[in-house]
Amino acid sequence: MSRFGDKSGNDAPTRLVRNDPTKKVGFGGDDGNDGATQKIDASDNLIRNKVDIDNNLRSAVNAAQANENTGNIGGSTFESVAKSANPKTVVFRPSEGDKVATATDLPVVAWLVVVEGAGKGKGIALSYGMQKIGREASQNVVLDFGDETISREHHAAIEYDPKTRTFYLSKGENLVYLNGARVGQGSEENLSVGDMIEIGNTKLKFMPFCGPDFCWQSDS
């Protein structure tokens, strides 16, 4: 008589159930497993991901340092290396070749020295051509020491004429004074050594290098 048809009260036969290795195991253990295997796999994945990120970041830093040392660091190269590692913060120090040159390529013909106001003691070199004075970096003479009363652009201008070896001061977009006297609109005033130029709340002393005794463009 089959045991499965036995109604005598005997216990049903024990059934062996094998876990399907392809079946996903939940963290909550709904299928009777405690989820240990899944947790271990998840931990392994996290460790592997961290190692991959660390390796990529190390490669990016090494590549950036190598480019910096050779002076070949550029936007496209640096961005491609940085993106491959997905770093949150990248510290970039420009090389010497990336610094903006501030010195003029033309010879110095005179200086302006701040003797009163913001930037006292600072000196600015003048060269050939119309030397516009203002607070913006686009100006030939940049007075960005903190005097907000100076116009951003073309507050005044100084020009050197190598033919006559003479310096001229002219008014721009704001008031300018030469030795206490106002410079009128459309007029030019000759500058001599030691003249005082007042722009906003700043006073500048004019010190020429070129003049009657010397000029860079002299034929002699």
Side-chain angles (χ1 to χ4, degrees):
M1 183 175 180
S2 173
R3 293 182 59 187
F4 292 100
D6 186 5
K7 298 181 180 180
S8 61
N10 293 329
D11 293 335
T14 303
R15 299 181 63 189
L16 298 177
V17 179
R18 295 180 179 273
N19 289 330
D20 186 353
T22 63
K23 184 178 181 181
K24 294 183 179 180
V25 180
F27 286 97
D30 294 336
D31 55 358
N33 294 321
D34 58 3
T37 301
Q38 182 67 20
K39 291 179 180 178
I40 292 175
D41 290 343
S43 299
D44 289 342
N45 289 334
L46 290 175
I47 293 174
R48 283 194 294 269
N49 289 338
K50 184 179 185 303
V51 171
D52 291 340
I53 292 174
D54 290 343
N55 289 337
N56 288 338
L57 182 57
R58 189 177 296 108
S59 299
V61 173
N62 291 337
Q65 290 177 344
N67 285 330
E68 180 180 353
N69 292 335
T70 58
N72 292 327
I73 188 165
S76 59
T77 302
F78 187 76
E79 286 181 3
S80 61
V81 174
K83 288 179 180 178
S84 65
N86 292 323
K88 292 183 178 180
T89 303
V90 176
V91 178
F92 171 69
R93 296 187 300 273
S95 61
E96 291 295 328
D98 295 327
K99 292 182 179 179
V100 178
T102 56
T104 178
D105 293 330
L106 298 175
V108 174
V109 297
W111 294 272
L112 290 176
V113 181
V114 181
V115 295
E116 186 176 323
K120 184 177 181 179
K122 301 290 185 180
I124 304 98
L126 303 177
S127 190
Y128 289 100
M130 178 72 72
Q131 303 289 284
K132 292 183 179 180
I133 304 171
R135 289 187 287 119
E136 289 291 335
S138 60
Q139 303 300 284
N140 304 103
V141 179
V142 182
L143 298 178
D144 59 348
F145 305 119
D147 186 355
E148 299 295 326
T149 61
I150 298 176
S151 299
R152 294 180 181 275
E153 297 180 349
H154 196 192
H155 188 123
I158 295 176
E159 188 171 15
Y160 173 64
D161 184 349
K163 185 175 182 178
T164 62
R165 299 188 182 185
T166 307
F167 290 89
Y168 299 95
L169 173 67
S170 61
K171 178 183 180 299
E173 301 299 326
N174 216 325
L175 294 174
V176 57
Y177 298 86
L178 175 61
N179 298 323
R182 181 188 173 201
V183 177
Q185 183 71 42
S187 64
E188 294 181 331
E189 301 293 337
N190 290 4
L191 287 173
S192 301
V193 58
D195 279 349
M196 300 296 296
I197 302 171
E198 185 175 349
I199 297 177
N201 295 324
T202 300
K203 288 185 178 181
L204 306 158
K205 188 171 185 177
F206 175 72
M207 299 299 296
F209 181 71
C210 293
D213 298 328
F214 173 80
C215 181
W216 293 109
Q217 296 184 6
S218 174
D219 295 332
S220 58

